Amino acid sequence: MQTDKVMDIPCGTKTGVNITFEKIEVVNRLQREHVYETIREYGVHYDKTWIYDKIHHEINQFCSSHTLQDVFIDKFDQVDDKIRATLQADCNRYAPGIEIISVRVTKPRIPESIMGNYVAMEVERTKVLVAAERRKVVELETEMERVKAVAEAEKKKLTSQILQKQLLLEREAQQQQEAISNQLLLARHKALADAEFYRMSREAEAHRLKLTPEFLEFTFLSALNNNTKVFFGEKLPHMVLDQRLLRGVFDEGAKGRRLHQEQQQQQQEEAQAP
């Protein structure tokens, strides 16, 4: 394996600008089984025919069909592969023992006046790229701030929803507790009322059962006995102390009132009759 260095290759571009490739390196090797045949046909310096001279020819072909912008900027990255492919194609056809492994092409040298323009253009392009990158950074920072603000707003919204839900649950629990307390209080008052009603019913029933003529007579006599008075003087008051006589008086009075009412009703009916 060897590296052939082809130096100072002049060429003219499609637009008439003369430039020079200072160095092109071609890494190649001669396959062992083709050594004798290749040296017999092209001599020991076979690479002069198929590499050195061929490089000059291919570089001039490339420059003559492209502008300076293409050669120096736009398509410079393609020169290596194009040269290697063309060299290998010719070697395969006429000298099959030669293998082109790689080609390295340096930037061509161009006139100083034009180089100044390219430098200025590159400076401007660099400024544009820097501005574009700065704009991207600003946009990225703005987007990050927006995402952060949205996330913060979502966080506050979620927190508010959780607090509202918690407050609602607390209110519902308080209402349920108050409802249970009200039910217990209502049940207690109802139980007390039922107990009082039962007590009064039983007491009334007991009183009703007590109110017999014998019991009333006994109560009347007991009261008179407890209220005995002693009178002094020449005259003593007269009083009938027999309940049965008093009851007869009450009954006669009630009978008289009923008779009087019946007479009044009869008189009203006679007055209304035609």
Side-chain angles (χ1 to χ4, degrees), residues 10-254:
C11 67
T13 66
K14 183 178 180 179
T15 53
V17 179
N18 294 321
I19 61 176
T20 301
F21 286 87
E22 294 182 349
K23 182 174 65 174
I24 296 178
E25 297 178 344
V26 180
V27 180
N28 62 91
R29 65 183 173 186
L30 180 60
Q31 297 177 0
R32 180 175 299 179
E33 59 271 19
H34 295 281
V35 171
Y36 176 76
E37 180 181 356
T38 302
I39 292 177
R40 186 188 64 187
E41 293 291 334
Y42 307 107
V44 176
H45 300 290
Y46 62 89
D47 53 350
K48 183 179 183 305
T49 302
W50 296 110
I51 295 179
Y52 284 90
D53 295 344
K54 198 70 173 165
I55 285 293
H56 279 268
H57 174 73
E58 295 301 331
I59 285 296
N60 278 274
Q61 286 290 105
F62 181 78
C63 289
S64 63
S65 60
H66 293 86
T67 64
L68 178 62
Q69 180 69 21
D70 293 335
V71 176
F72 193 68
I73 302 294
D74 296 340
K75 296 184 178 181
F76 178 76
D77 59 337
Q78 303 175 10
V79 177
D80 296 347
D81 295 334
K82 286 183 176 295
I83 297 297
R84 192 194 70 79
T86 302
L87 292 178
Q88 189 63 65
D90 289 342
C91 288
N92 290 342
R93 183 175 180 182
Y94 299 105
I98 301 175
E99 180 182 0
I100 307 299
I101 297 174
S102 65
V103 175
R104 295 188 294 271
V105 180
T106 59
K107 271 283 189 180
R109 186 173 63 250
I110 63 176
E112 293 294 333
S113 59
I114 299 177
M115 188 64 185
N117 294 334
Y118 273 105
V119 171
M121 184 173 61
E122 186 66 21
V123 170
E124 293 300 323
R125 190 176 74 89
T126 302
K127 290 181 180 179
V128 172
L129 292 176
V130 170
E133 291 298 323
R134 184 179 293 111
R135 185 174 62 253
K136 289 181 180 179
V137 171
V138 173
E139 291 176 354
L140 181 61
E141 291 177 351
T142 303
E143 181 64 18
M144 291 177 64
E145 290 296 329
R146 187 188 68 81
V147 171
K148 183 179 179 181
V150 171
E152 188 68 22
E154 289 293 333
K155 180 180 178 181
K156 291 182 179 179
K157 179 180 177 181
L158 182 60
T159 303
S160 177
Q161 290 177 350
I162 293 175
L163 291 177
Q164 290 179 358
K165 186 176 181 181
Q166 183 178 359
L167 181 61
L168 180 61
L169 292 175
E170 290 178 355
R171 289 181 178 177
E172 290 179 352
Q174 184 178 1
Q175 291 176 355
Q176 292 177 357
Q177 185 176 1
E178 291 177 354
I180 293 173
S181 299
N182 293 336
Q183 291 177 358
L184 293 175
L185 182 61
L186 179 62
R188 181 172 178 273
H189 285 302
K190 183 178 180 182
L192 292 175
D194 291 342
E196 182 66 16
F197 176 75
Y198 179 77
R199 186 189 66 78
M200 294 177 65
S201 299
R202 297 300 296 173
E203 185 176 351
E205 180 66 19
H207 289 167
R208 188 183 65 81
L209 294 176
K210 282 182 178 181
L211 295 177
T212 60
E214 293 80 7
F215 179 76
L216 293 175
E217 182 179 0
F218 172 77
T219 304
F220 178 75
L221 296 175
S222 296
L224 289 176
N225 185 49
N226 292 331
N227 290 280
T228 302
K229 295 182 179 181
V230 178
F231 295 91
F232 298 92
E234 297 178 355
K235 294 182 180 180
L236 297 178
H238 301 278
M239 177 178 281
V240 178
L241 301 179
D242 191 344
Q243 183 186 9
R244 286 170 294 183
L245 296 178
L246 292 175
R247 185 171 58 187
V249 174
F250 295 150
D251 290 343
E252 289 294 333

